[in-house]
Amino acid sequence: VGELSAEDVKKREDAKSLDPYSSDPERHPVLHAKCKKPFNAEPPREILADSYITPRVLFFKRNHLPVPQVDPASYRLNVEGLPGGALSLSLEDLKTRFPKHTITATLQCAGNRRSDMSKIKQVNGLNWGISAIGNAKWSGVRLRDVLLAAGFGPEVAKWAHHVHFEGLDKDVTGTAYGTSIPINKAISEEGDVLLAYEMNGEDIPSDHGFPVRVVVPGVVGARSVKWLGRIVISTEESSSHWQQHDYKGFSPGTDWKTVDPKSAPAIQELPVQSAITVPADGAVIDRSDETLTVKGYAWSGGGREVVRVDVSLDGGKTWQVAQLRSGDEGQPAEPSPPPGRAWAWKLWELTAPLPPEAEELEIICKAVDNSYNVQPDTVLPIWNLRGLLNNAWHRVKVKVTED
């Protein structure tokens, strides 16, 4: 095996220094990568619902740009746009000047289940399966508390309509990832928007926004900006690409020749959702088992609580109600959330007799939230050119064989 010459070593080092992704963190090998630069990956579907709280290493990774290296000692969060002038906060300021709060909240990518849309007609975006979603305990300070400390009050409320978030991750031109949410969500005591510095009781990992990220519960994951560096109070939405041109839903009849990004609002709250994690599509079931156990997750945006998951083993002809849980088996369940603040998913399970003589089963799930929103039965009416917001009934087919 020979040794590299000094010149070859220098070339390798130069190439690494030119690669903005060379300092990205290591990732768990079980993750299914959808894109390596920037890194985007989801965990295997069969283990997604094993734990009510998704382990940090298995939580889906959604990066738009290289992961920035942030020194926590020199980190500053700047809050701008308020009458008293800019407020600059260190990580220590956030941890010592404001009360610490913890919420359990699910984050879901708008492109979750895009792969099912691409089967109908080609879409533009990462080919996510059903696992671009995860549930975690987030701890930090309320955005509301920071805004009030920065001078937000009744006079500001008369003209302020949006809060902009800007990350420390940047592209080659120096443009940072940015987005915004309505001011009412940001300032509400019931909004529970956090500037989080912990995930599942530990410092937030690099891939998830170390040292501070926004967590906007009940809202599309794209608004929970990571590596947060700047907050701006404004009369207008963020002008960033990700607010004005991406993360918007369009009619099935809209194509790239006719699409007008200004014609659709930016996605904020997500629709009701559920998916089957076990069994996998194409699995083989032994008839001698006599029963079949189906598992999955369910969640709804806007703090709406999932109240029921219906499961069919015969393609939708008959339905049974699954058992819901808000915690791991054998552990105390999470307390019931206040109305309008159901930020976390529910795991569900159904064990039922195998239909007699069936050689193939089409298993379907659909969730219902407390506003009685229910998932649409097929993808076709909600198909869109970006493959976003797919919440159609989730279906898997399995074969039943004799032992």
Side-chain angles (χ1 to χ4, degrees):
V1 175
E3 293 184 1
L4 290 174
S5 67
E7 183 179 354
D8 287 338
V9 170
K10 186 177 185 304
K11 286 181 180 178
R12 177 174 287 187
E13 289 176 347
D14 289 345
K16 187 175 181 180
S17 67
L18 292 173
D19 182 2
Y21 298 96
S22 62
S23 59
D24 270 17
E26 292 186 7
R27 282 87 179 204
H28 198 289
V30 77
L31 295 174
H32 298 318
K34 304 300 176 180
C35 177
K36 292 188 176 181
K37 295 182 180 181
F39 189 77
N40 291 275
E42 62 184 321
R45 59 188 294 169
E46 62 270 19
I47 65 173
L48 181 61
D50 282 353
S51 176
Y52 178 71
I53 299 297
T54 309
R56 303 185 319 159
V57 294
L58 299 181
F59 207 98
F60 79 98
K61 310 292 190 284
R62 178 63 177 108
N63 296 331
H64 296 84
L65 301 167
V67 174
Q69 301 296 299
V70 185
D71 177 10
S74 59
Y75 169 80
R76 308 296 294 188
L77 172 62
N78 296 309
V79 185
E80 304 170 15
L82 291 164
L87 174 65
S88 182
L89 297 167
S90 67
L91 182 59
E92 187 67 12
D93 289 333
L94 291 171
K95 291 182 176 182
T96 59
R97 288 179 52 182
F98 303 95
K100 181 179 180 180
H101 291 273
T102 298
I103 61 171
T104 302
T106 297
L107 293 185
Q108 180 182 204
C109 179
N112 191 34
R113 300 184 58 202
R114 179 180 280 127
S115 59
D116 287 340
M117 276 197 175
S118 66
K119 294 174 185 176
I120 302 297
K121 185 179 175 182
Q122 186 60 44
V123 297
N124 184 17
L126 298 170
N127 197 39
W128 293 110
I130 68 166
S131 302
I133 186 172
N135 190 52
K137 286 186 179 293
W138 309 95
S139 299
V141 305
R142 287 178 175 167
L143 174 60
R144 166 187 166 83
D145 292 344
V146 171
L147 294 183
L148 291 174
F152 188 94
E155 289 303 312
V156 177
K158 292 178 181 178
W159 57 263
H161 300 297
H162 301 273
V163 179
H164 298 195
F165 304 122
E166 188 176 288
L168 296 172
D169 49 333
K170 297 179 180 180
D171 65 16
V172 293
T173 70
T175 301
Y177 180 83
T179 186
S180 62
I181 62 172
I183 191 70
N184 289 345
K185 174 67 174 176
I187 203 68
S188 169
E189 290 189 66
E190 289 76 37
D192 289 326
V193 181
L194 286 189
L195 306 182
Y197 46 76
E198 289 181 5
M199 179 182 185
N200 295 346
E202 299 179 39
D203 290 345
I204 286 185
S206 295
D207 259 329
H208 295 289
F210 179 82
V212 176
R213 76 172 298 172
V214 186
V215 174
V216 189
V219 167
V220 64
R223 311 299 168 213
S224 290
V225 173
K226 298 185 282 189
W227 314 289
L228 185 66
R230 190 166 172 247
I231 298 172
V232 181
I233 307 301
S234 177
T235 59
E236 304 293 336
E237 273 190 325
S238 168
S239 61
S240 79
H241 165 81
W242 296 278
Q243 188 78 22
Q244 298 299 327
H245 298 280
D246 202 353
Y247 296 110
K248 294 188 173 187
F250 299 97
S251 162
T254 300
D255 59 29
W256 288 109
K257 294 180 181 178
T258 60
V259 65
D260 175 14
K262 294 180 180 178
S263 68
I267 298 169
Q268 295 286 347
E269 296 178 359
L270 289 176
V272 63
Q273 176 71 282
S274 71
I276 299 163
T277 57
V278 175
D281 192 49
V284 177
I285 308 300
D286 188 340
R287 184 175 297 284
S288 64
D289 292 340
E290 297 184 351
T291 62
L292 175 65
T293 296
V294 186
K295 298 181 180 181
Y297 66 78
W299 181 78
S300 193
R304 292 176 289 275
E305 184 175 8
V306 168
V307 296
R308 197 180 79 231
V309 172
D310 299 325
V311 181
S312 174
L313 302 184
D314 55 13
K317 296 176 183 176
T318 62
W319 297 89
Q320 302 176 64
V321 178
Q323 182 178 1
L324 304 178
R325 58 186 174 89
S326 299
D328 290 320
E329 292 185 36
Q331 299 296 320
E334 289 264 322
S336 297
R341 296 166 75 180
W343 309 127
W345 67 9
K346 290 189 178 180
L347 303 182
W348 56 265
E349 183 173 325
L350 174 75
T351 298
L354 283 170
E357 300 181 359
E359 296 181 355
E360 183 178 75
L361 304 179
E362 183 181 27
I363 307 171
I364 303 173
C365 71
K366 59 182 176 74
V368 182
D369 69 23
N370 61 356
S371 292
Y372 286 98
N373 296 307
V374 66
Q375 296 172 248
D377 59 346
T378 60
V379 173
L380 194 60
I382 58 173
W383 182 94
N384 59 87
L385 74 176
R386 282 286 284 113
L388 302 176
L389 305 173
N390 181 16
N391 72 325
W393 295 356
H394 189 223
R395 305 165 184 259
V396 301
K397 290 185 177 181
V398 301
K399 294 187 180 298
V400 182
T401 61
E402 303 289 344
D403 189 10

